[in-house]
Amino acid sequence: MRFDRRQWLTGAGAAVVAPLVLRATRANAQEVTLKMHHFLPPVAVGHAKFLKPWADKVAAESNGRIKIDIFPSMQLGGTPPQLFDQARDGVADLVWTLPGYTPGRFTGLEAFELPFVANKRALVNSLALTEYAQQNLAAELKDVHPICVWAHDHGLIHANKQVKTMEDLKGLKLRFPTRLAGEALKALGANAIGMPVPQVPESLAQRVIDGAVIPWEVVPSVKVQELVKFHTEIPGSPTFYVATFILAMNKAKYEALAPDLKAIIDRNSGAAAAGMAGKVWDEQAIAVSEMVRKRGNTITVIEEAEAARWRKTTEPVIEAWIKSTKEKGLDGEKLLASARAALAKHEKAA
């Protein structure tokens, strides 16, 4: 047999290159770009200090094989109440949304949004809600792949007049974020008006509302400290209200990930992600309240006896919610007991 040196070199070169090409092809096949969509501006703390660091962490742990492009301020279209369905339908791969924007849809999550149930601290709420969700919310969140659920720290009343007592709330037009916060405000005598948070600045400026119920973290991003001068805190825990959040992923997109990439998402889900969010909200509560105080605005902490009046007055909201859950085939008393048990557990641990 005649030995052909050129054929050997060509074949040997191909043998060396083939594994490299195969490896590159495999690597490229496993790379994925995900679109994350949410409703706040990029200057908002939720974007800058939680969602972007979370996305960067996932990208780093995947060595760049997972890339997450974030679209704030509803840049992919639609309205904030449509975000959950955008994750379900694949309009976005990941969304950050408030269940409270679709009243009555997430009944189980509402247990944390009832008046005077949640903790003053976001970290406690977030870790408790993670545990509660694992026990109670599989059916409620079945249309998406949940990355995490969490809740912010204590919500405050920010208004153009000082609020010290229930009587000060009489007729005050206050924006509320969740159905149950709205019901609680009505029980206290306020004129409760529901709207997504991006509408708050214009509504305050045009006197459509007299104030808003939001946590400290939101204040700078919508310039509330410039539009009102008075801020009212409710002392201690349980606190007047919190809102819950969902960071959710399209199920098909998650299932299509390579196993090792799926493991990276899993590692940055649940308590890991919720705890990360909770710490950010708690840190901002301190920083923003100090900024507002230095600005010269008035921060009022209502008296303990007055807080007790508020708790008593809003008890019918809890009773009505429990009754409504029975009409949906759910056990509201059991859900509320589960929420309170998780909150007590994580308050001791935190």
Short mmCIF file of all heavy atoms in Angstrom, two decimals, residues 6 36 43 81 110 124 146 157 159 178 181 212 264 280 297 315 320 338:
data_model
loop_
_atom_site.label_atom_id
_atom_site.label_comp_id
_atom_site.label_asym_id
_atom_site.label_seq_id
_atom_site.Cartn_x
_atom_site.Cartn_y
_atom_site.Cartn_z
N ARG A 6 0.18 13.54 2.39
CA ARG A 6 -0.78 14.64 2.42
C ARG A 6 -2.13 14.19 2.98
O ARG A 6 -2.78 14.89 3.74
CB ARG A 6 -0.96 15.22 1.02
CG ARG A 6 0.16 16.17 0.62
CD ARG A 6 -0.09 16.81 -0.70
NE ARG A 6 -0.24 15.82 -1.76
CZ ARG A 6 -0.52 16.11 -3.03
NH1 ARG A 6 -0.74 17.35 -3.38
NH2 ARG A 6 -0.63 15.17 -3.93
N MET A 36 -35.74 39.51 30.98
CA MET A 36 -36.43 39.79 32.24
C MET A 36 -37.19 41.11 32.10
O MET A 36 -36.64 42.10 31.64
CB MET A 36 -35.44 39.88 33.40
CG MET A 36 -36.10 40.18 34.74
SD MET A 36 -34.92 40.57 36.06
CE MET A 36 -34.25 38.95 36.42
N VAL A 43 -33.45 53.05 37.89
CA VAL A 43 -32.87 53.69 39.08
C VAL A 43 -33.47 53.13 40.37
O VAL A 43 -32.94 53.37 41.45
CB VAL A 43 -33.08 55.22 39.06
CG1 VAL A 43 -32.33 55.85 37.90
CG2 VAL A 43 -34.57 55.57 39.00
N PRO A 81 -50.13 44.77 35.62
CA PRO A 81 -50.96 43.62 35.95
C PRO A 81 -50.83 42.44 34.98
O PRO A 81 -51.28 41.34 35.30
CB PRO A 81 -52.39 44.19 35.90
CG PRO A 81 -52.23 45.65 36.17
CD PRO A 81 -50.95 46.01 35.49
N GLU A 110 -52.17 36.15 49.65
CA GLU A 110 -52.79 37.24 50.38
C GLU A 110 -52.72 37.08 51.89
O GLU A 110 -52.88 38.06 52.62
CB GLU A 110 -54.26 37.38 49.96
CG GLU A 110 -54.45 38.03 48.60
CD GLU A 110 -55.91 38.27 48.28
OE1 GLU A 110 -56.78 37.54 48.81
OE2 GLU A 110 -56.19 39.20 47.49
N VAL A 124 -37.29 38.67 57.44
CA VAL A 124 -38.18 37.74 58.13
C VAL A 124 -39.35 37.36 57.22
O VAL A 124 -39.67 36.18 57.04
CB VAL A 124 -38.70 38.33 59.45
CG1 VAL A 124 -39.75 37.42 60.08
CG2 VAL A 124 -37.54 38.56 60.42
N PRO A 146 -41.59 29.32 39.59
CA PRO A 146 -41.24 30.38 40.54
C PRO A 146 -39.74 30.36 40.86
O PRO A 146 -39.21 29.32 41.23
CB PRO A 146 -42.07 30.05 41.78
CG PRO A 146 -42.98 28.94 41.41
CD PRO A 146 -42.39 28.27 40.22
N ILE A 157 -47.48 55.19 55.68
CA ILE A 157 -48.38 56.16 55.06
C ILE A 157 -47.60 57.43 54.80
O ILE A 157 -47.03 58.03 55.72
CB ILE A 157 -49.59 56.45 55.98
CG1 ILE A 157 -50.43 55.18 56.17
CG2 ILE A 157 -50.45 57.57 55.40
CD1 ILE A 157 -51.48 55.29 57.24
N ALA A 159 -48.06 61.17 53.25
CA ALA A 159 -49.20 62.03 52.92
C ALA A 159 -48.84 63.51 52.99
O ALA A 159 -47.79 63.90 53.50
CB ALA A 159 -50.35 61.73 53.88
N THR A 178 -52.28 46.79 47.25
CA THR A 178 -52.90 45.48 47.24
C THR A 178 -54.36 45.61 47.68
O THR A 178 -54.74 46.56 48.38
CB THR A 178 -52.19 44.50 48.19
OG1 THR A 178 -52.40 44.94 49.55
CG2 THR A 178 -50.69 44.43 47.91
N ALA A 181 -54.68 45.80 51.53
CA ALA A 181 -54.24 47.09 52.07
C ALA A 181 -55.33 48.13 51.84
O ALA A 181 -55.59 48.99 52.69
CB ALA A 181 -52.93 47.52 51.43
N ALA A 212 -49.75 58.10 49.68
CA ALA A 212 -49.59 56.72 49.20
C ALA A 212 -49.10 55.83 50.34
O ALA A 212 -48.43 56.30 51.26
CB ALA A 212 -48.61 56.68 48.04
N ILE A 264 -27.91 25.87 38.16
CA ILE A 264 -27.48 27.22 38.57
C ILE A 264 -28.69 28.08 38.92
O ILE A 264 -28.69 28.80 39.93
CB ILE A 264 -26.63 27.87 37.46
CG1 ILE A 264 -25.29 27.15 37.33
CG2 ILE A 264 -26.41 29.36 37.74
CD1 ILE A 264 -24.51 27.49 36.09
N VAL A 280 -31.88 43.58 51.05
CA VAL A 280 -31.86 44.86 50.33
C VAL A 280 -32.96 45.78 50.85
O VAL A 280 -32.72 46.97 51.14
CB VAL A 280 -32.04 44.63 48.81
CG1 VAL A 280 -32.32 45.95 48.09
CG2 VAL A 280 -30.80 43.96 48.23
N ASN A 297 -38.30 66.43 56.27
CA ASN A 297 -39.67 65.92 56.33
C ASN A 297 -39.97 65.39 57.72
O ASN A 297 -39.06 65.09 58.50
CB ASN A 297 -39.87 64.80 55.30
CG ASN A 297 -39.86 65.32 53.87
OD1 ASN A 297 -39.39 66.42 53.60
ND2 ASN A 297 -40.38 64.52 52.96
N GLU A 315 -59.61 44.10 62.04
CA GLU A 315 -59.88 42.66 62.19
C GLU A 315 -60.97 42.16 61.25
O GLU A 315 -60.88 41.03 60.74
CB GLU A 315 -60.24 42.35 63.65
CG GLU A 315 -59.02 42.30 64.57
CD GLU A 315 -59.39 42.05 66.02
OE1 GLU A 315 -60.61 41.88 66.31
OE2 GLU A 315 -58.48 42.01 66.86
N ALA A 320 -63.32 38.72 56.83
CA ALA A 320 -63.92 38.68 55.49
C ALA A 320 -63.07 37.86 54.53
O ALA A 320 -63.59 37.13 53.68
CB ALA A 320 -64.11 40.10 54.96
N SER A 338 -50.61 28.94 59.05
CA SER A 338 -49.33 28.54 58.44
C SER A 338 -48.43 29.76 58.24
O SER A 338 -47.22 29.70 58.51
CB SER A 338 -49.59 27.84 57.11
OG SER A 338 -48.37 27.50 56.47
#
